[in-house]
């Protein structure tokens, strides 16, 4: 019996990062995965897609930690989703002009920026944040 991978339905590519103390940093020229999952007791995640080779379709960043935040930098035309939970920490996004940002979730202590409207048919970045202390900050790229 031969076991072969079905080429018509490619495997879901996920990059995992687990640490007790420490964060995740991805920047420069690299091949981005469809999903990045970072789990840490203390530590955040910084993901810069500016020079990365992105997969077709949206990318997703999932971050879970007791203390730590997320910083995501999206290039023009990128589509990304962020799903975050933190007891202390937040989410900070930099997006190009024309990008629509949808912010969902809740925060007991801390705030979140309001959603930003982009161009019809343009890239969409979705952020889901769940925090006991912390928030979401969205900035326009340069």
């Amino acid at each position: 019996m031969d076991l072969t991978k079905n080429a018509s339905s490619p495997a879901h590519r996920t990059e995992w990062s687990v640490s007790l103390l420490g964060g995740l940093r991805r920047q420069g020229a690299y091949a981005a995965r469809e999903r990045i999952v970072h789990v840490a007791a203390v530590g955040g995640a910084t993901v810069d897609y500016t020079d990365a080779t992105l997969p077709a379709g949206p990318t997703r960043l999932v971050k879970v930690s007791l203390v730590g935040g997320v910083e995501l930098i999206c290039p023009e035309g990128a589509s990304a989703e962020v799903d975050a939970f933190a007891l202390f920490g937040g989410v900070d996004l930099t997006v190009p002009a024309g990008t629509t940002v949808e912010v969902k979730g809740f925060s007991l202590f801390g705030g979140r920026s309001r959603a930003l409207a982009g161009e019809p048919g343009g890239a969409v970045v979705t952020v889901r944040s769940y925090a006991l202390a912390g928030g979401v900050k969205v900035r326009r790229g340069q």
Side-chain angles (χ1 to χ4, degrees), residues 4 8 11 17 19 27 52-53 59 68 81 83-84 91 139 141:
T4 58
S8 64
S17 172
S19 66
Q27 63 186 32
T53 303
T59 61
E81 295 181 10
D83 198 347
V91 176
R139 296 178 283 132

mmCIF file of all heavy atoms in Angstrom, residues 4 8 11 17 19 27 52-53 59 68 81 83-84 91 139 141:
data_model
loop_
_atom_site.group_PDB
_atom_site.id
_atom_site.type_symbol
_atom_site.label_atom_id
_atom_site.label_comp_id
_atom_site.label_asym_id
_atom_site.label_seq_id
_atom_site.Cartn_x
_atom_site.Cartn_y
_atom_site.Cartn_z
ATOM 1 N N THR A 4 0.416 8.419 -0.340
ATOM 2 C CA THR A 4 0.893 9.616 -1.023
ATOM 3 C C THR A 4 0.063 10.803 -0.585
ATOM 4 O O THR A 4 -1.090 10.674 -0.185
ATOM 5 C CB THR A 4 0.787 9.468 -2.559
ATOM 6 O OG1 THR A 4 -0.567 9.217 -2.896
ATOM 7 C CG2 THR A 4 1.669 8.340 -3.060
ATOM 8 N N SER A 8 -4.060 17.851 -4.700
ATOM 9 C CA SER A 8 -5.168 18.784 -4.913
ATOM 10 C C SER A 8 -5.597 19.478 -3.622
ATOM 11 O O SER A 8 -6.248 20.506 -3.655
ATOM 12 C CB SER A 8 -6.361 18.058 -5.531
ATOM 13 O OG SER A 8 -6.838 17.085 -4.624
ATOM 14 N N ALA A 11 -1.497 20.387 2.458
ATOM 15 C CA ALA A 11 -1.571 20.392 3.918
ATOM 16 C C ALA A 11 -1.556 21.815 4.435
ATOM 17 O O ALA A 11 -0.928 22.692 3.856
ATOM 18 C CB ALA A 11 -0.400 19.605 4.485
ATOM 19 N N SER A 17 5.495 27.869 17.844
ATOM 20 C CA SER A 17 6.542 28.373 18.725
ATOM 21 C C SER A 17 6.004 28.295 20.144
ATOM 22 O O SER A 17 4.969 28.885 20.456
ATOM 23 C CB SER A 17 6.880 29.824 18.359
ATOM 24 O OG SER A 17 7.744 30.380 19.314
ATOM 25 N N SER A 19 7.266 28.559 24.305
ATOM 26 C CA SER A 19 8.366 28.880 25.212
ATOM 27 C C SER A 19 7.831 29.303 26.569
ATOM 28 O O SER A 19 6.734 29.839 26.680
ATOM 29 C CB SER A 19 9.250 29.984 24.633
ATOM 30 O OG SER A 19 8.532 31.199 24.559
ATOM 31 N N GLN A 27 11.202 38.549 10.714
ATOM 32 C CA GLN A 27 11.353 39.736 9.880
ATOM 33 C C GLN A 27 12.381 39.453 8.801
ATOM 34 O O GLN A 27 13.051 38.434 8.838
ATOM 35 C CB GLN A 27 11.771 40.953 10.712
ATOM 36 C CG GLN A 27 13.106 40.832 11.391
ATOM 37 C CD GLN A 27 13.384 42.010 12.304
ATOM 38 O OE1 GLN A 27 12.479 42.591 12.892
ATOM 39 N NE2 GLN A 27 14.638 42.358 12.414
ATOM 40 N N ALA A 52 8.611 39.475 3.349
ATOM 41 C CA ALA A 52 8.362 38.032 3.329
ATOM 42 C C ALA A 52 7.639 37.616 2.059
ATOM 43 O O ALA A 52 6.928 38.397 1.433
ATOM 44 C CB ALA A 52 7.526 37.633 4.542
ATOM 45 N N THR A 53 7.826 36.358 1.680
ATOM 46 C CA THR A 53 7.064 35.752 0.595
ATOM 47 C C THR A 53 5.814 35.142 1.237
ATOM 48 O O THR A 53 5.908 34.221 2.039
ATOM 49 C CB THR A 53 7.883 34.652 -0.099
ATOM 50 O OG1 THR A 53 9.102 35.218 -0.568
ATOM 51 C CG2 THR A 53 7.102 34.041 -1.248
ATOM 52 N N THR A 59 -3.176 35.082 5.785
ATOM 53 C CA THR A 59 -2.329 34.471 6.795
ATOM 54 C C THR A 59 -2.984 34.692 8.151
ATOM 55 O O THR A 59 -3.800 35.596 8.309
ATOM 56 C CB THR A 59 -0.916 35.083 6.816
ATOM 57 O OG1 THR A 59 -1.020 36.472 7.122
ATOM 58 C CG2 THR A 59 -0.225 34.893 5.489
ATOM 59 N N GLY A 68 2.603 39.607 27.488
ATOM 60 C CA GLY A 68 3.222 39.785 26.181
ATOM 61 C C GLY A 68 2.212 40.267 25.167
ATOM 62 O O GLY A 68 1.022 40.081 25.333
ATOM 63 N N GLU A 81 -5.145 37.763 9.552
ATOM 64 C CA GLU A 81 -6.042 37.678 10.698
ATOM 65 C C GLU A 81 -5.189 37.497 11.934
ATOM 66 O O GLU A 81 -4.206 36.765 11.912
ATOM 67 C CB GLU A 81 -6.986 36.485 10.570
ATOM 68 C CG GLU A 81 -7.957 36.576 9.423
ATOM 69 C CD GLU A 81 -8.884 35.368 9.365
ATOM 70 O OE1 GLU A 81 -8.898 34.573 10.313
ATOM 71 O OE2 GLU A 81 -9.583 35.239 8.357
ATOM 72 N N ASP A 83 -5.533 36.523 16.075
ATOM 73 C CA ASP A 83 -6.378 36.020 17.151
ATOM 74 C C ASP A 83 -5.497 35.981 18.388
ATOM 75 O O ASP A 83 -4.543 35.205 18.435
ATOM 76 C CB ASP A 83 -6.877 34.620 16.796
ATOM 77 C CG ASP A 83 -8.064 34.186 17.616
ATOM 78 O OD1 ASP A 83 -8.364 34.850 18.624
ATOM 79 O OD2 ASP A 83 -8.687 33.180 17.259
ATOM 80 N N ALA A 84 -5.747 36.849 19.397
ATOM 81 C CA ALA A 84 -4.840 36.970 20.530
ATOM 82 C C ALA A 84 -5.579 36.871 21.857
ATOM 83 O O ALA A 84 -6.709 37.311 21.978
ATOM 84 C CB ALA A 84 -4.101 38.310 20.462
ATOM 85 N N VAL A 91 -2.096 44.238 21.163
ATOM 86 C CA VAL A 91 -1.829 44.016 19.753
ATOM 87 C C VAL A 91 -1.542 45.364 19.119
ATOM 88 O O VAL A 91 -2.262 46.329 19.352
ATOM 89 C CB VAL A 91 -3.042 43.346 19.055
ATOM 90 C CG1 VAL A 91 -2.792 43.196 17.569
ATOM 91 C CG2 VAL A 91 -3.366 42.017 19.695
ATOM 92 N N ARG A 139 -2.026 51.196 13.276
ATOM 93 C CA ARG A 139 -1.389 52.362 12.659
ATOM 94 C C ARG A 139 -1.330 52.188 11.156
ATOM 95 O O ARG A 139 -1.219 51.069 10.667
ATOM 96 C CB ARG A 139 0.048 52.527 13.190
ATOM 97 C CG ARG A 139 0.118 52.818 14.653
ATOM 98 C CD ARG A 139 1.550 52.917 15.127
ATOM 99 N NE ARG A 139 2.093 51.562 15.253
ATOM 100 C CZ ARG A 139 3.263 51.187 14.770
ATOM 101 N NH1 ARG A 139 4.026 52.021 14.122
ATOM 102 N NH2 ARG A 139 3.687 49.952 14.927
ATOM 103 N N GLY A 141 0.604 52.404 7.668
ATOM 104 C CA GLY A 141 2.009 52.286 7.254
ATOM 105 C C GLY A 141 2.473 53.527 6.535
ATOM 106 O O GLY A 141 1.696 54.415 6.201
#
